[in-house]
């Protein structure tokens, strides 16, 4: 399985809140770094801790992550993603756009450096042609790289 396949499986696990699926993608010593000042910006250490963290987040905000674009190399990758989610008290889903840098060890995710700002409204690049470039968009939570059903 290549780096992009592992990343897509990781996000499918995040979207489902599936601890076992997440654990199959995470190195036991993984560290996930978050951009401050987001809520919950402290780093998360360890595969099981990170898997359980995403299960809690998914349950709280009904999130679905979609990998929109990727650059991969030996033992590392940089991706752009969209998280569709429901802010507290809102019936409407919003989209948060972000980017992450992954490193791998033994074919598993070893480090994630996450760059995004989570706000209660959609955040994205002003005027960027998301749909034309095959990225996910509101009402279509899938991309050219990451199908809606989680298959890759």
């Amino acid at each position: 399985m290549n780096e992009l396949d592992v990343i897509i499986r990781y996000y499918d696990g995040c979207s489902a809140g599936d601890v076992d699926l997440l654990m199959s993608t995470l190195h036991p010593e993984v560290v996930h770094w978050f951009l401050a000042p987001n809520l919950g910006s402290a780093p998360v250490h360890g595969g099981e801790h990170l898997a359980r963290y995403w299960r809690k987040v998914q349950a709280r905000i009904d999130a679905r992550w979609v990998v929109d674009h990727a650059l991969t190399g030996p033992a590392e990758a940089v991706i752009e993603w969209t998280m569709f989610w429901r802010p507290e008290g809102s019936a409407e889903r919003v989209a948060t756009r972000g980017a992450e840098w992954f490193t791998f060890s033994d074919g598993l995710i070893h480090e994630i450096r996450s760059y995004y700002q989570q706000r209660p409204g959609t955040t994205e690049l002003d005027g960027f042609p998301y749909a034309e470039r095959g990225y996910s968009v509101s009402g279509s939570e899938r991309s050219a790289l990451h199908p809606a059903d989680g298959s890759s």
Side-chain angles (χ1 to χ4, degrees):
M1 187 176 306
N2 67 36
E3 288 84 0
L4 181 57
D5 292 335
V6 173
I7 291 169
I8 288 173
R9 283 180 50 82
Y10 166 76
Y11 282 113
D12 288 344
C14 291
S15 297
D18 185 332
V19 170
D20 291 333
L21 181 56
L22 284 161
M23 293 291 293
S24 76
T25 67
L26 298 171
H27 189 278
E29 297 175 8
V30 67
V31 178
H32 192 309
W33 304 93
F34 294 92
L35 188 66
N38 281 327
L39 179 64
S41 60
V44 177
H45 298 264
E48 187 171 346
H49 188 193
L50 184 57
R52 292 182 188 284
Y53 172 89
W54 287 124
R55 180 176 62 187
K56 288 180 207 171
V57 168
Q58 190 339 341
R60 194 175 74 245
I61 65 173
D62 186 26
R64 166 147 170 70
W65 286 263
V66 178
V67 178
D68 289 312
H69 188 74
L71 298 173
T72 61
E76 65 182 352
V78 178
I79 66 152
E80 290 178 291
W81 53 259
T82 304
M83 176 181 63
F84 296 94
W85 63 288
R86 196 173 320 281
E88 187 175 331
S90 175
E92 299 291 320
R93 289 172 74 71
V94 299
T96 297
R97 307 273 184 184
E100 291 182 331
W101 191 294
F102 289 81
T103 64
F104 294 82
S105 179
D106 301 322
L108 299 171
I109 298 168
H110 190 258
E111 183 178 67
I112 305 167
R113 297 189 305 268
S114 190
Y115 301 93
Y116 69 96
Q117 287 288 302
Q118 189 168 348
R119 305 282 187 249
T122 293
T123 58
E124 60 188 12
L125 299 173
D126 191 20
F128 187 80
Y130 288 103
E132 292 85 356
R133 296 215 186 161
Y135 286 58
S136 56
V137 294
S138 292
S140 180
E141 296 181 6
R142 63 184 171 277
S143 72
L145 287 181
H146 195 169
D149 64 4
S151 65
S152 50

